[in-house]
């Protein structure tokens, strides 16, 4: 079918709204009419080719929508269901068999290959193949072909157009706290970077009863939002001495920290501000090959650096949990979301990049 999609034609280029050809639905796929799709920093990482993608491309991996049609072998959803599309795991590797999809051995290829596992292409433009199937959805479009495995059914009572970011950014930040770090009530955490990922972590830290939540971000508006969402302290890194200031707030340092910027120097600070023992979760995506220097002795005495993908979530369980937390008012994602029509994707991206909005959600 012919659909409207936001096409990127070259590295760091503008989005071009074009009519493209969406391929035939396979037996194990779901055709979703996209209702909302968040712009995630990872879309821009790929636009800028920091990960190996090629062009033209259709990104978008935080889609929510309504199921229009399902393939003959799909049992999870039926037409009319409300769904969130999330990351794909292979379902076959040891980690997937253990029920641990974010450690899937094939997670990179499953989400960033640009084609299905069999090499086929889901989107063509003027007969030419497009780098698509991004996170098995390419949802910067009016419709998406999603694999059954990464399609999560959600309650029809929830506001569907807000839910797309639960598939990546919100799941990533909230899951890092709720699924990975699991701080006990009364513990302390510092969150570096208050984009949607970091702010979701702040909200989750409040949910589990962290009594010291330090939010670090150079943007005043984001620090203010972090305070509104549960941060007990804010730090402006531009003032210098972030590590010492956080150590002072936490007594001897904080129990947990999260690196949500992708900047090596920030990872160093996130490790250095920990108490002993302390755990730093690494979430921010840096260009492939990026290295960081750490003080070996500081680690040896009992600090841990832990990489966390997609909040170590089992999406079929965790996304409905996030929807319920939202329903109960504990995850007020509407405070960080700004809507744009799909046609205004360039504006949405500009506003995200300059920090004017936290989470832009496009409504095709
Ligand atoms: N690991 C995963 O599974 C996963 C999933 C989603 C996103 N990500 C990555 O997580 C990161 C955060 O995503 P996002 O959508 O929230 O991005 P974002 O760009 O909206 O947020 C980053 C924030 O970091 C702040 N910042 C910049 N310099 C800083 C500094 N020196 N100290 C503290 N804060 C600083 C910025 O002001 C901004 O608010 C990105 O790198 C993204 O690619 C990783
Ligand atoms: Zn796997
Ligand atoms: Zn993402």
């Amino acid at each position: 079918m012919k659909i409207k999609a936001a096409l990127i034609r070259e590295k760091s280029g503008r989005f071009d709204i074009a009519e493209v050809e969406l391929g035939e639905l396979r037996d194990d796929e779901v055709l979703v009419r996209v209702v909302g799709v968040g712009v995630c920093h990872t879309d821009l990482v790929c636009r800028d080719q920091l990960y190996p993608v090629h062009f033209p491309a259709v990104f978008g991996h935080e889609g929510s929508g309504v199921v229009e049609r399902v393939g003959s072998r799909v049992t999870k959803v039926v037409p009319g269901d409300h769904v969130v599309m999330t990351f794909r795991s292979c379902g076959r590797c040891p980690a997937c068999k253990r029920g641990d999809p974010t450690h899937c051995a094939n997670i990179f290829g499953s989400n960033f290959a640009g084609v299905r596992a069999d090499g086929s292409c889901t989107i063509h433009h003027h007969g030419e193949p497009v780098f698509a199937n991004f996170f098995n959805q390419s949802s910067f479009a009016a419709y998406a072909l999603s694999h059954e495995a990464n399609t999560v059914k959600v309650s029809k009572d929830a506001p569907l157009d807000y839910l797309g970011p639960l598939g990546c950014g919100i799941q990533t930040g909230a899951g890092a706290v709720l699924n990975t770090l699991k701080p006990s009530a009364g513990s302390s955490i510092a969150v570096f970077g208050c984009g949607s990922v970091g702010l979701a972590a702040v909200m989750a830290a409040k949910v589990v009863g962290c009594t010291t939540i330090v939010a670090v971000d150079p943007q005043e508006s984001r620090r203010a939002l972090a305070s509104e969402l549960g941060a007990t302290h804010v730090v402006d890194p531009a003032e210098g001495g972030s590590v010492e200031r956080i150590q002072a707030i936490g007594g001897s340092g904080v129990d947990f920290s999260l690196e949500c910027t992708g900047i090596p120097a920030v990872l160093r600070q996130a490790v250095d501000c920990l108490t002993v023992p302390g755990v730093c979760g690494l979430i921010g995506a840096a260009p492939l090959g990026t290295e960081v220097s750490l003080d070996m002795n500081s680690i040896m005495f009992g600090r841990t650096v832990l990489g966390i993908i997609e909040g170590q979530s089992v999406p079929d369980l965790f996304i409905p949990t996030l929807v319920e937390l939202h329903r109960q008012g504990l995850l007020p994602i509407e405070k960080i979301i700004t809507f744009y029509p799909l046609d205004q994707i360039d504006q949405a991206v500009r506003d995200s990049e300059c920090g004017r909005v936290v989470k832009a959600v496009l409504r095709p």
Side-chain angles (χ1 to χ4, degrees):
M1 64 195 278
K2 298 236 183 285
I3 63 161
K4 195 164 83 167
L7 207 58
I8 289 271
R9 295 176 193 277
E10 60 188 11
K11 180 180 176 182
S12 305
R14 288 166 59 96
F15 288 89
D16 182 16
I17 304 297
E19 191 177 79
V20 298
E21 181 74 31
L22 187 67
E24 274 302 309
L25 182 73
R26 296 273 175 96
D27 289 355
D28 50 7
E29 289 177 340
V30 179
L31 177 68
V32 178
R33 176 171 58 79
V34 180
V35 167
V37 52
V39 175
C40 173
H41 187 84
T42 306
D43 294 305
L44 309 179
V45 162
C46 291
R47 174 202 62 184
D48 296 339
Q49 235 175 20
L50 302 181
Y51 285 177
V53 301
H54 55 82
F55 302 105
V58 176
F59 301 127
H61 63 283
E62 290 187 346
S64 64
V66 180
V67 174
E68 290 272 313
R69 285 199 288 136
V70 298
S72 60
R73 289 195 286 121
V74 170
T75 56
K76 239 165 107 175
V77 292
V78 296
D81 279 347
H82 289 189
V83 294
V84 169
M85 293 173 275
T86 186
F87 70 93
R88 174 76 195 282
S89 52
C90 77
R92 299 182 312 275
C93 74
C96 283
K97 285 180 178 160
R98 284 196 305 271
D100 182 13
T102 63
H103 290 135
C104 171
N106 302 306
I107 199 159
F108 202 85
S110 297
N111 293 285
F112 294 97
V115 289
R116 294 187 184 93
D118 67 2
S120 63
C121 202
T122 55
I123 295 179
H124 286 79
H125 185 232
H126 295 319
E128 296 296 322
V130 169
F131 180 99
N133 205 45
F134 189 62
F135 283 66
N136 281 235
Q137 51 182 290
S138 285
S139 45
F140 285 162
Y143 290 85
L145 278 183
S146 184
H147 193 277
E148 176 177 28
N150 59 293
T151 307
V152 178
K153 184 173 165 177
V154 291
S155 164
K156 282 189 180 165
D157 298 335
L160 187 57
D161 45 358
Y162 281 96
L163 302 186
L166 300 186
C168 182
I170 304 296
Q171 157 170 276
T172 293
V177 174
L178 301 176
N179 300 325
T180 308
L181 301 181
K182 296 184 179 150
S184 52
S187 50
S188 53
I189 185 167
V191 177
F192 289 79
C194 298
S196 54
V197 171
L199 290 173
V202 167
M203 290 185 243
K206 185 175 176 192
V207 167
V208 295
C210 287
T211 45
T212 301
I213 303 171
V214 188
V216 188
D217 200 291
Q219 297 185 55
E220 207 281 322
S221 59
R222 293 198 172 186
R223 294 195 300 276
L225 204 44
S227 297
E228 191 184 334
L229 294 169
T232 57
H233 301 76
V234 292
V235 167
D236 177 1
E239 288 175 7
S242 301
V243 170
E244 293 73 19
R245 280 193 283 154
I246 295 166
Q247 282 170 336
I249 292 166
S252 61
V254 285
D255 301 311
F256 301 98
S257 63
L258 283 173
E259 198 302 304
C260 311
T261 73
I263 301 169
V266 175
L267 176 61
R268 174 69 193 252
Q269 294 173 349
V271 175
D272 288 349
C273 73
L274 290 171
T275 187
V276 175
V279 184
C280 169
L282 164 53
I283 295 177
L288 296 185
T290 301
E291 297 190 355
V292 66
S293 79
L294 297 171
D295 179 332
M296 283 177 68
N297 284 299
S298 135
I299 306 291
M300 187 185 73
F301 279 95
R303 296 185 175 93
T304 304
V305 182
L306 198 58
I308 309 172
I309 291 292
E310 295 289 343
Q312 213 179 335
S313 140
V314 176
D316 284 321
L317 301 176
F318 192 57
I319 289 176
T321 299
L322 294 174
V323 171
E324 181 58 20
L325 285 171
H326 175 258
R327 193 189 66 75
Q328 295 186 15
L330 297 169
L331 196 74
I333 51 174
E334 60 282 353
K335 292 198 171 156
I336 66 171
I337 286 176
T338 307
F339 290 112
Y340 295 82
L342 180 64
D343 298 2
Q344 285 177 22
I345 183 168
D346 273 319
Q347 187 64 46
V349 168
R350 274 198 299 276
D351 290 351
S352 307
E353 289 188 305
C354 76
R356 192 173 301 135
V357 305
V358 178
K359 174 58 75 181
V361 171
L362 308 162
R363 286 199 278 213

